[in-house]
């Protein structure tokens, strides 16, 4: 990925962070989008600056963009800020999302709207801003981060799962549209991954072990770093003939 310029949303922690660091290791300049409030809630208020520092220490350019995707227009602004900082965007990874683990009949209207805005409307903003310049240059990579919940949804994640399915449908549609112009659009669907989002579930080691055993045929959770290899494939020249794919990185849970 030497010479490529990548924007990774939700790039300060967990899967986004691992992807950003992997891109830098492959030679890319990386813009890390994050939301200060989200990082603070994870107990990692300096995560974005720390990740950018690691990238710079590896000899690559890094930029940090703070934006709350719950606010309309912020996702579009993020793309412009990243392009300004890096001189353009060749690769977009749509990783930022939220979820509420709530039974369907208890999901509040506010929780529904917030998920729709951050998990889907912001994705549309990002794509509408990033894809036309890629098309004009004749090269681009888009990777949306989906979820195993697209195909095997958990009841307490009903709205989240539905929106991940909608995002996947959008990525397939765009893959077909942009294929003639050297731009690929793919989806990566992680299974159970040990992230900051589910760190609270690991407070009880035995309960977490039980969750892991039932999570997939591998009987374990994945790690954020295990998502980075798939992202590298789909966002580099190595994946030049792959578009419209949904790569299931689930330890076999989707089978």
């Amino acid at each position: 990925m030497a010479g490529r310029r990548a924007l990774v949303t939700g790039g300060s922690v967990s899967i986004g962070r691992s992807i950003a660091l992997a891109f830098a290791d492959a030679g890319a300049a990386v813009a890390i989008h994050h939301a200060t409030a989200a990082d603070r809630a994870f107990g990692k208020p300096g995560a974005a600056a720390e990740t950018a520092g690691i990238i710079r220490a590896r000899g690559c350019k890094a930029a940090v963009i703070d934006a709350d995707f719950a606010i309309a227009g912020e996702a579009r602004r993020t793309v412009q800020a990243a392009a300004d900082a890096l001189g353009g965007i060749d690769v977009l990874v749509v990783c930022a999302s939220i979820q509420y683990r709530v039974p369907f009949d208890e999901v509040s209207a506010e929780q529904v709207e917030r998920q729709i805005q951050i998990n889907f409307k912001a994705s549309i903003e990002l794509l509408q801003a990033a894809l036309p310049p890629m098309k004009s240059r004749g090269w681009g990579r888009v990777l949306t981060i989906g979820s195993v919940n697209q195909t095997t949804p958990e009841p307490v994640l009903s709205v989240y799962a539905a929106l991940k399915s909608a995002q996947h449908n959008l990525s397939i549609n765009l893959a077909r549209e942009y294929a003639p112009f050297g731009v690929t659009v793919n989806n990566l669907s992680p299974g159970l991954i040990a992230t900051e989002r589910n760190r609270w579930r690991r407070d009880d080691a035995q309960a977490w072990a039980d969750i892991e055993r039932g999570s997939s045929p591998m009987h374990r959770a994945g790690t954020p770093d295990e998502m980075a290899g798939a992202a590298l494939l789909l966002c580099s020249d190595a994946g030049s003939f792959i578009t419209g794919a949904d790569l299931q990185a689930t330890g076999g849970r989707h089978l």
Side-chain angles (χ1 to χ4, degrees):
M1 296 183 70
R4 300 301 184 190
R5 302 155 299 182
L7 167 60
V8 181
T9 72
S12 58
V13 298
S14 303
I15 293 173
R17 179 180 187 274
S18 289
I19 290 174
L21 293 177
F23 285 0
D25 283 343
V30 185
I32 300 163
H33 155 265
H34 75 117
T36 294
D39 288 349
R40 189 178 295 121
F42 289 140
K44 293 183 173 293
E50 178 189 352
T51 304
I54 295 171
I55 290 172
R56 294 180 186 121
R58 296 177 181 179
C60 293
K61 188 172 184 178
V64 175
I65 302 163
D66 183 7
D68 181 357
F69 285 177
I71 301 171
E74 281 293 273
R76 185 177 294 275
R77 180 184 69 81
T78 296
V79 173
Q80 186 59 57
D84 290 344
L86 304 182
I89 297 298
D90 305 301
V91 178
L92 169 65
V93 178
V94 181
C95 187
S97 69
I98 63 166
Q99 61 179 218
Y100 296 100
R101 299 186 68 84
V102 181
F104 178 69
D105 58 356
E106 297 177 17
V107 182
S108 70
E110 180 183 359
Q111 290 171 334
V112 171
E113 184 54 38
R114 186 171 173 79
Q115 288 179 94
I116 290 173
Q117 176 60 45
I118 295 174
N119 295 3
F120 193 64
K121 288 184 177 180
S123 296
I124 292 174
E125 284 187 31
L126 292 165
L127 293 161
Q128 286 182 327
L131 279 168
M134 293 180 185
K135 177 182 176 179
S136 296
R137 289 192 296 269
W139 198 97
R141 298 287 183 267
V142 172
L143 179 64
T144 54
I145 304 300
S147 170
V148 69
N149 278 279
Q150 292 162 206
T151 51
T152 56
E154 294 184 60
V156 293
L157 292 174
S158 54
V159 176
Y160 171 83
L163 292 169
K164 287 298 186 182
S165 294
Q167 180 178 266
H168 176 219
N169 182 282
L170 180 61
S171 73
I172 293 172
N173 197 329
L174 294 173
R176 185 184 299 111
E177 180 178 352
Y178 282 85
F181 306 102
V183 180
T184 67
V185 184
N186 292 291
N187 189 67
L188 172 62
S189 294
L192 178 66
I193 308 297
T195 63
E196 293 300 320
R197 176 183 285 165
N198 58 36
R199 184 174 56 182
W200 63 273
R201 303 181 81 184
R202 302 197 293 278
D203 289 343
D204 184 329
Q206 185 55 56
W208 178 249
D210 293 340
I211 291 169
E212 286 193 285
R213 276 194 296 273
S215 68
S216 75
M218 289 189 179
H219 305 304
R220 68 172 180 88
T223 68
D225 286 348
E226 288 180 301
M227 302 301 103
L232 279 170
L233 168 65
L234 297 173
C235 292
S236 68
D237 287 331
S240 58
F241 204 56
I242 304 171
T243 196
D246 181 23
L247 200 164
Q248 297 277 334
T250 68
R253 179 182 162 187
H254 64 289
L255 299 174

